[in-house]
Amino acid sequence: MLPSPKLPYPSAKLPPPTQIRWSSAAASPSVQRDCKVSRREISTSPLLLLVGSQTVTPLFPDLSKARADQISSDKDTSTSCRDKVPTEKAFLDISIDGEPTGKIVIGLYADEVPAGVARFVTLVTGAAGISYRRKEFVKIMPNYIQHGGIRSYGETGSFENLIGEWERSKEEKCTKNLAGKVGIVVIDPSRPPPKAKLVARNGKLEIDEEEVGVGPNGTEFVITTADSSELDESVLVVGEIVEGMNVVEKMRAVKTVKENTGSPYFRVAKLIGDKRAVVAERGFNRPYSKIIVSNCGLLE
């Protein structure tokens, strides 16, 4: 027989087994006889009731098991996000200040994000008369490199499809912008909200909203060099780097314009929506060297 556990109050006594009654058979807990219970389990488990050599199972649900099941489920979800299989490959030939640097090969997730992949393929092949060829990378951040996209050719295709696909991907609740991913920018988190102003229409004053800065048009893309959860709210992942991460590291090593967000003048201008602050912010982290896509397309 196990020794009786020490009670928190010396005067308290456990009732004898014959005095324990249950309101119904359904509510009666199962009883395990002659179970071996360590002193550590006795002292640390407030849900156990020991009566002589009998151990009564807890009346409360096994919360630890439920939590373990939830963690296992979350792990499975994360694994499924990492195990996406590329269905086709695109390439980007990179040059820095006119010197060839190497080739980046990207595996595209056409089965998971068909609209995003279709947009990217159109731009690397030039199928719509516009292409990433001779276009620059405009930002080098600690966790990613951003391409400037295409602005001078007007319409580049339906943007609503990209937004809808991005919203569906967010519902999966898993980190998408992992190291070595390629994604299309669908929302600019640094863009200030519209600025309200009074305008005269038909002899009446009305409040109108003036857009500050230029929003993304679905042609800018990023290459992540580290896990970048900050991009989950703005980027639709369309593929992964399968070859050429050494080229990406060479791009990342290029010197850039230092940020000046700590300046009180910049903070005030940003707060009041001054367009000059937006222009200055777009210049932060811009590479001093010219990094361009010298050639691009699909691989057979």
Side-chain angles (χ1 to χ4, degrees), residues 88-91 297-300:
E88 53 187 326
K89 294 179 180 179
F91 73 90
L298 289 180
L299 293 176
E300 297 295 335

Side-chain angles (χ1 to χ4, degrees), residues 58-253:
L59 296 176
F60 300 100
D62 190 346
L63 300 180
S64 60
K65 182 178 184 302
R67 178 59 181 156
D69 292 342
Q70 181 182 355
I71 293 174
S72 176
S73 175
D74 293 343
K75 184 178 180 181
D76 293 341
T77 301
S78 179
T79 301
S80 66
C81 292
R82 291 175 181 266
D83 291 344
K84 290 183 177 179
V85 179
T87 57
E88 53 187 326
K89 294 179 180 179
F91 73 90
L92 305 173
D93 287 337
I94 305 299
S95 68
I96 300 177
D97 283 340
E99 295 293 329
T101 305
K103 185 187 298 292
I104 299 173
V105 179
I106 304 167
L108 300 172
Y109 304 141
D111 290 342
E112 285 81 11
V113 282
V117 169
R119 169 64 62 89
F120 193 77
V121 168
T122 297
L123 294 170
V124 296
T125 60
I130 54 177
S131 170
Y132 286 131
R133 293 184 185 93
R134 314 304 300 173
K135 303 301 186 297
E136 295 182 53
F137 287 86
V138 297
K139 188 179 294 186
I140 301 177
M141 303 296 289
N143 292 341
Y144 63 91
I145 301 171
Q146 182 170 339
H147 190 275
I150 301 167
R151 291 284 177 185
S152 59
Y153 293 90
E155 180 61 34
T156 55
S158 175
F159 189 59
E160 289 73 16
N161 291 342
L162 297 180
I163 293 291
E165 210 161 61
W166 168 72
E167 290 174 345
R168 287 192 297 271
S169 69
K170 283 184 63 180
E171 293 176 359
E172 295 181 8
K173 297 180 180 180
C174 57
T175 302
K176 303 288 289 183
N177 290 277
L178 307 173
K181 299 293 185 182
V182 177
I184 295 175
V185 180
V186 295
I187 291 178
D188 185 357
S190 65
R191 187 183 181 191
K195 187 177 181 181
K197 65 176 182 179
L198 285 175
V199 295
R201 289 194 181 100
N202 300 323
K204 296 181 180 180
L205 288 178
E206 298 180 1
I207 297 177
D208 196 6
E209 290 187 342
E210 177 187 9
E211 295 290 339
V212 181
V214 180
N217 64 353
T219 65
E220 300 168 73
F221 69 91
V222 298
I223 300 174
T224 56
T225 56
D227 289 358
S228 308
S229 59
E230 68 272 20
L231 295 177
D232 291 343
E233 298 300 319
S234 59
V235 170
L236 169 66
V237 174
V238 297
E240 63 185 55
I241 304 296
V242 294
E243 294 179 28
M245 277 304 293
N246 59 321
V247 179
V248 177
E249 289 300 323
K250 291 178 182 178
M251 298 164 63
R252 185 185 183 187

Side-chain angles (χ1 to χ4, degrees), residues 20-34:
I20 297 178
R21 297 290 185 269
W22 308 100
S23 60
S24 65
S28 177
S30 60
V31 177
Q32 302 173 354
R33 296 179 179 275
D34 301 324

Side-chain angles (χ1 to χ4, degrees), residues 1-22:
M1 180 181 297
L2 292 173
S4 300
K6 293 183 179 181
L7 298 175
Y9 304 101
S11 60
K13 294 182 180 180
L14 287 172
T18 56
Q19 296 181 8
I20 297 178
R21 297 290 185 269
W22 308 100

